[in-house]
Amino acid sequence: MVEWPWAGRHVHFLGGIHAVNNPKSGNIDVFPRTLDGINLSIEMPSYKHLYLELEKIGLKDVIGTEFFTSPDNYNGTSPPEWRTQTRFKDISWSHLEAERRWSNIANEGYEKNNAFLWDISKRISHQIRTVNESFKVLAFSYRNQLSTRVKKENLDFNSRFLDGYSSKIYDAFQHFLFDICSLRDYLSEFIFYFILSEEEKSGERHMTTTSRIYKKFFKDKPQGTALRNYYKSGCSDRGWLNELGAYRDLVVHACPLSMAGGNVMLRMGSVSIAYGKVLPKIIAPIPNNPEEIKVKRSSFESFKGLENKVTEFFERANDTRNSRDILTYAFEVMLNFSEFSWRILNDSPFKGRQITITSKDIIGDIQVIKR
């Protein structure tokens, strides 16, 4: 007889689909129901087979898992742990490991009395954790939207819709963009201070934005390391970091997704899985190629020009050929940032200091409290 640990896991997939493995149980329940009304339940041979069994039935697009490790996680006394499903080379949960590594570098900065190293590393570590939570909120907004949508008697895959839950997705995406662009600038700031040489900086003492650092030190200059070339490529016109900035500028500054005069309409999609079954999913669109419709507020273009740009934004978002799904894009960004962070960590002149507690650090007797 298999002994199951007291640990629950909620696995999230693209589109709002999720699977639940309750504590001390070998069953995995998939939500929502299939289009023909079947509630899928899978049996695991062991605790570690969770993802393998889900993959066997065709659920491969895991974006994150919520872990419940004590009754406190269920009664609200303590929050469960969310982990975005990132991996870099042989490092599982790579964003979580990166958060710890940056925290260790902050410890090294403290020990060396390097206030700025401590400050920037602390900010990066904190922001990785913040972005992880922002992505969780976005994933849950999809889950909530899908859960309410499938309660309707007839799902129309040819229609577009908006309801009370739809704005939650776009609000969550806007917060995600703000948080992850802050992380982008913190990592760029670290590159400026600790990757660029003093000779390269030639008197520049303080620079904190990705755009300025890229234009002055990377755009028109050859780069000598893999990290430098990776950064230059990411910030270039077709690079992923540049695209991220274009989305942030559009959504936060020029085309807030809840603004009057324009609406982005959600639609239903589907995922084919094993046994000929189909699961519904949510698609929340944004336009492709945000750089093409980017509005630079500093240009002070006329209101008519701005109005045209806003119209173009919403028209492209609602056109399936010219749009992409928010959660799919956000997850790609999370994967890219995991690699970006680890490339910097591997080239960093600081490797970090893990704090350890010895008997000398313990004051008084140790008490063991059992629940």
Side-chain angles (χ1 to χ4, degrees):
M1 182 177 178
V2 178
E3 289 293 329
W4 298 98
W6 205 108
R9 294 165 293 178
H10 292 191
V11 185
H12 287 244
F13 301 87
L14 293 174
I17 298 167
H18 62 284
V20 175
N21 169 226
N22 288 315
K24 299 186 74 64
S25 170
N27 292 332
I28 312 167
D29 297 312
V30 178
F31 298 94
R33 294 180 298 176
T34 62
L35 290 185
D36 58 353
I38 302 299
N39 292 306
L40 288 179
S41 187
I42 312 165
E43 290 187 8
M44 290 186 294
S46 70
Y47 179 82
K48 66 181 181 180
H49 279 76
L50 174 66
Y51 301 106
L52 180 61
E53 295 303 316
L54 288 167
E55 187 173 337
K56 282 182 181 179
I57 68 164
L59 288 175
K60 301 177 182 180
D61 296 328
V62 181
I63 59 171
T65 304
E66 195 175 27
F67 292 88
F68 297 78
T69 55
S70 81
D72 289 345
N73 298 150
Y74 283 96
N75 64 28
T77 306
S78 176
E81 180 187 19
W82 166 270
R83 297 184 184 183
T84 305
Q85 193 85 7
T86 58
R87 184 182 186 90
F88 178 67
K89 295 184 177 179
D90 61 342
I91 304 170
S92 300
W93 311 114
S94 53
H95 72 288
L96 183 64
E97 292 302 318
E99 179 192 335
R100 292 172 180 164
R101 278 285 298 273
W102 284 109
S103 182
N104 289 343
I105 291 177
N107 295 336
E108 183 178 350
Y110 182 83
E111 287 188 349
K112 291 182 175 180
N113 200 28
N114 186 330
F116 183 76
L117 177 61
W118 173 83
D119 174 79
I120 185 64
S121 302
K122 273 289 187 185
R123 279 189 279 135
I124 291 172
S125 177
H126 173 269
Q127 200 63 22
I128 290 174
R129 184 166 62 254
T130 298
V131 165
N132 181 55
E133 288 298 310
S134 290
F135 184 75
K136 171 188 173 182
V137 172
L138 180 59
F140 268 80
S141 66
Y142 268 72
R143 172 175 167 171
N144 293 337
Q145 177 72 87
L146 181 61
S147 296
T148 57
R149 200 68 191 169
V150 296
K151 291 179 181 178
K152 295 184 175 293
E153 291 185 5
N154 296 308
L155 288 178
D156 186 353
F157 284 81
N158 296 315
S159 66
R160 309 296 177 89
F161 68 90
L162 287 174
D163 61 27
Y165 285 93
S166 304
S167 63
K168 304 297 183 184
I169 292 177
Y170 287 96
D171 290 344
F173 182 53
Q174 184 163 321
H175 284 291
F176 172 79
L177 289 173
F178 180 84
D179 289 335
I180 205 157
C181 282
S182 294
L183 175 59
R184 175 202 61 181
D185 285 346
Y186 292 166
L187 291 170
S188 293
E189 191 176 354
F190 188 91
I191 287 174
F192 171 77
Y193 278 96
F194 298 114
I195 301 297
L196 295 178
S197 67
E198 292 300 320
E199 182 180 0
E200 284 179 284
K201 287 184 280 191
S202 62
E204 287 282 358
R205 306 309 305 168
H206 189 62
M207 202 169 283
T208 60
T209 65
T210 300
S211 177
R212 289 188 63 204
I213 293 168
Y214 164 67
K215 290 176 180 177
K216 187 169 183 64
F217 301 106
F218 290 87
K219 183 177 181 180
D220 299 319
K221 297 178 181 179
Q223 303 299 320
T225 68
L227 168 62
R228 289 165 175 259
N229 281 308
Y230 177 85
Y231 184 72
K232 180 178 180 178
S233 175
C235 293
S236 66
D237 289 344
R238 297 185 177 275
W240 70 273
L241 282 166
N242 180 66
E243 181 181 57
L244 175 66
Y247 274 125
R248 195 276 307 270
D249 290 346
L250 277 170
V251 171
V252 175
H253 296 308
C255 303
L257 294 168
S258 60
M259 70 185 298
N263 282 313
V264 183
M265 307 294 288
L266 278 68
R267 61 183 185 269
M268 298 298 299
S270 62
V271 177
S272 297
I273 58 173
Y275 316 117
K277 301 300 181 183
V278 177
L279 291 171
K281 71 174 184 178
I282 292 294
I283 298 172
I286 48 173
N288 280 321
N289 303 317
E291 185 66 27
E292 293 181 9
I293 54 175
K294 180 178 178 180
V295 179
K296 296 182 179 178
R297 293 172 69 87
S298 58
S299 66
F300 296 102
E301 60 181 294
S302 69
F303 178 77
K304 183 177 180 180
L306 174 62
E307 187 177 27
N308 290 339
K309 293 292 186 181
V310 171
T311 300
E312 186 178 5
F313 180 94
F314 289 107
E315 286 181 350
R316 287 198 184 191
N318 288 317
D319 183 345
T320 56
R321 295 169 299 175
N322 290 308
S323 64
R324 70 205 305 181
D325 174 58
I326 282 177
L327 189 57
T328 303
Y329 171 69
F331 184 55
E332 291 171 0
V333 170
M334 291 295 289
L335 294 174
N336 284 333
F337 262 98
S338 177
E339 179 176 357
F340 184 26
S341 179
W342 275 100
R343 281 178 176 267
I344 297 175
L345 285 168
N346 290 337
D347 278 29
S348 168
F350 310 102
K351 300 308 175 185
R353 169 79 164 82
Q354 176 70 51
I355 293 178
T356 57
I357 298 176
T358 68
S359 57
K360 296 180 180 179
D361 301 305
I362 299 173
I363 301 174
D365 297 329
I366 298 176
Q367 289 183 317
V368 178
I369 300 176
K370 295 182 178 181
R371 292 188 180 275

